Amino acid sequence: MARAPRSRQLLRFTIGALSAAGALLGALPLHSQAPGAPPFLPLLSTGLPAEPRFLETADLDGDGSPDLIVATAAGVLRFSPDGLGGLLPGVLVLPGEVRDIAIGDLNGDALPDLAVVDPAGIVQVHLGAPAGLMPGPVFPTGAPIAAVALEDWDGDGLLDLIHTAAAPGGEVLIRAGDGAGAFPAPPLAVGFGVRPAHLLALDLEGDGFLDLVVGDDLGPELAVLRGAGGGALGPVLPIPLSGPCRGLAAGDLDGSGVIDLIVLAESPTTFCGSAAIPHLAVGAGYLPQPPITGVCGPHDALLADLDLDGNLDLVTTDGGDLIPAVNWVDVRRGFGDGTFEDPLVAPVALATLGAPALLRIDLDGRPDLALPSFGPGPALDLYRNELSQGGAPFLRGDGNGNGVLEPLADAIHLLSWGFQGGDPPPCEAAADTNGDGVVGAIADAIALLGWQFAGGAAPPPPFPGCGPDPGGAALPCANPPPCP
């Protein structure tokens, strides 16, 4: 019975010592975001040997982490994350002018292979090998290729080559793969538009059959080509547009379990002459929603959960048409019902923009942005994702992310991370015990122990129950803990 007061005195002494250490050493921030901060901040920029054409991600070096693959007018380069929030110097993996690339395992050896398209429409396959890429089959397609993908169209377990052609008329062609990197059979050809430059290949309906979404950038034509299985083509669903297609993205925008579309198209009714238009899947068709305002001359679009709240967010690269020397990246957080918040804007002073890609660079769990720049000198620009987490439930003070508030265990987890190289907090928002927008090993451990053992202030909401941050979480939650 006499030991409890001594234990409490010891705890108070420990808390006092930690408070003094905190005053001397300061907090150890993991991530913070000031109100009104742009969604992306410049991380690094690296020059390229020639004009960039296309970005893709794949683990080409076999280290278990995706690399950034950049197709340029002088060859294909691989940029690998350095594990410290940056990229290693680019490695030229294939020389020669490249128009487009598609990446996939063509021969079933679990190594990524490349189908490289040159400006004349000749496809060169390069097969992955432990020592690097090895030259494979080469074949001409007969016309310049505007878009390309490697997917299993006929369901035989082998990747097929799907591409569009612009001459002698618009076509979508599907070439069955033989499992060795070649496509010897005559292609399935479907006439479409004048220059079908935009292509998505995915299972839209969840029926196990691959479907294609194709948009023409010279005319107001967009269509869904339904797959019927076994390589057969099902019904073609035309989708009316107000003008030529400028980009496509796909994902479940409203939580219905069915894939919806984002279509970038020219629009005479908008300020800059173009718009992003959500098309929600309804029955066997797509219902266009009101155009998303603020999109100005979009170059491309991406859908991804940038703030880790479970809803898809929309990224568009805009500008150039209105102010030629200035472009920007717009980020619109998704509400999960097919609508989006007003845009958060990240200005980027580039002459023109290419299609962006997302890659986790700084290991905080959120995808960062890669942008190809064509001028004033060709470059690859990386931007750190600065979006705050937007609503996943958590329990304030749960430093070890087990879904239970255990002040001593949670404080020990924070201190071990801060001073002994222990695991970082699984959910930064939950670890921010004092709610100041910064995860500090000392400050947040002191706040938690002080509340439990020394009569200090209770953590701010969500507390003592589990829920979203009532003010909008200032920190991300890369691995949301269980929330009973």
Side-chain angles (χ1 to χ4, degrees), residues 267-463:
S267 173
T269 62
T270 59
F271 175 67
C272 294
S274 56
I277 307 168
H279 286 67
L280 300 183
V282 178
Y286 290 86
L287 182 64
Q289 305 300 299
I292 297 174
T293 59
V295 178
C296 193
H299 296 267
D300 219 311
L302 286 174
L303 284 170
D305 184 6
L306 297 174
D307 54 5
L308 306 179
D309 67 349
N311 301 323
L312 290 179
D313 309 306
L314 176 63
V315 181
T316 56
T317 53
D318 300 340
D321 297 344
L322 184 64
I323 308 174
V326 178
N327 286 337
W328 58 89
V329 174
D330 281 344
V331 175
R332 293 166 175 82
R333 290 180 173 179
F335 288 115
D337 60 359
T339 63
F340 298 87
E341 291 182 348
D342 290 337
L344 299 168
V345 180
V348 285
L350 305 174
T352 53
L353 290 172
L358 295 172
L359 183 72
R360 287 178 173 85
I361 297 294
D362 56 8
L363 307 181
D364 66 357
R366 298 168 301 167
D368 304 300
L369 184 71
L371 281 174
S373 167
F374 301 117
L380 173 66
D381 298 323
L382 292 185
Y383 294 82
R384 174 187 165 105
N385 185 343
E386 291 291 321
L387 278 178
S388 61
Q389 198 275 339
F394 63 92
L395 176 59
R396 182 82 69 185
D398 182 15
N400 59 15
N402 66 355
V404 180
L405 188 62
E406 302 167 314
L408 193 56
D410 291 317
I412 289 173
H413 185 96
L414 288 173
L415 293 171
S416 174
W417 159 68
F419 294 99
Q420 295 182 333
D423 293 334
C427 177
E428 299 169 39
D432 180 19
T433 303
N434 59 14
D436 65 355
V438 177
V439 177
I442 295 175
D444 288 309
I446 289 172
L448 194 56
L449 294 173
W451 162 73
Q452 178 68 15
F453 298 108
F463 179 88

Side-chain angles (χ1 to χ4, degrees), residues 32-118:
S32 63
Q33 179 186 3
F40 293 100
L41 290 177
L43 185 61
L44 62 91
S45 180
T46 183
L48 296 174
E51 176 186 292
R53 300 286 176 78
F54 194 81
L55 299 185
E56 184 60 272
T57 57
D59 182 14
L60 281 192
D61 56 8
D63 65 353
S65 297
D67 308 305
L68 190 61
I69 314 303
V70 185
T72 76
V76 178
L77 293 93
R78 184 193 76 231
F79 291 88
S80 301
D82 62 8
L84 301 173
L87 290 178
L88 297 172
V91 176
L92 181 67
V93 295
L94 291 175
E97 186 172 3
V98 177
R99 170 61 182 84
D100 207 341
I101 56 173
I103 302 175
D105 182 8
L106 289 169
N107 57 359
D109 63 358
L111 297 174
D113 310 309
L114 271 63
V116 180
V117 180
D118 76 2

Side-chain angles (χ1 to χ4, degrees), residues 136-200:
V138 180
F139 62 95
T141 63
I145 291 176
V148 63
L150 287 173
E151 297 288 348
D152 182 10
W153 168 258
D154 51 16
D156 63 355
L158 306 176
L159 293 185
D160 309 310
L161 183 72
I162 305 169
H163 66 90
T164 64
E171 281 188 318
V172 179
L173 299 105
I174 303 169
R175 302 175 186 270
D178 66 357
F183 311 92
L188 169 65
V190 181
F192 179 84
V194 179
R195 190 170 66 188
H198 307 283
L199 172 68
L200 296 177

